[in-house]
Amino acid sequence: MFTVRGVWDDNIFLSHTNKTSDYYFAIEPQLTLGFGDIQGRSRSYLRLDYMPSGLLYVNHSDEDAFNQMIHLEGGYSTGRLRLSLSQDVILLQSANLNSFIDTTGLWANLDASAPTRIARVLF
């Protein structure tokens, strides 16, 4: 899957006093590799998802960012036993996650008051 979108943001620094607007492009490919039942996940499988996200600003190119999410998931199933494992690694250079993980904004990094550079490992 590959998504390219343009966004007008009237407050790119998430500031109450010094609002700065800009237009940016988000380039968001997704690569999935796996074997087994990676769609239904009811039988044994191993799946790796890589989702980079590039944010390119028109007037504030010093705020350009490259975010990455790596998701590893696997499951083993027999008639009576089911084992599963998943691991997420998120490498962020910006506070914008609106469509990086989902398009609902539920994962938006609302606690950041400015662009931030962090690495997060989720279990």
Side-chain angles (χ1 to χ4, degrees), residues 15-105:
S15 172
H16 292 291
T17 58
N18 187 19
K19 292 184 177 183
T20 303
S21 61
D22 201 351
Y23 192 82
Y24 68 89
F25 294 94
I27 302 169
E28 301 162 323
Q30 178 178 349
L31 175 66
T32 300
L33 301 171
F35 69 91
D37 187 19
I38 66 171
Q39 292 294 325
R41 297 179 175 118
S42 61
R43 296 186 307 267
S44 298
Y45 70 98
L46 182 62
R47 177 182 178 137
L48 174 69
D49 294 301
Y50 176 62
M51 294 168 275
S53 174
L55 302 174
L56 306 171
Y57 287 85
V58 173
N59 295 321
H60 296 86
S61 61
D62 54 326
E63 300 300 325
D64 290 354
F66 184 69
N67 300 320
Q68 302 176 71
M69 179 176 172
I70 303 163
H71 176 77
L72 178 64
E73 183 178 347
Y76 175 76
S77 182
T78 65
R80 295 182 174 189
L81 176 67
R82 174 153 169 71
L83 301 172
S84 63
L85 170 73
S86 70
Q87 178 71 51
D88 289 332
V89 176
I90 301 173
L91 307 169
L92 301 177
Q93 291 183 338
S94 76
N96 188 340
L97 289 176
N98 286 338
S99 71
F100 182 58
I101 296 175
D102 71 340
T103 57
T104 64

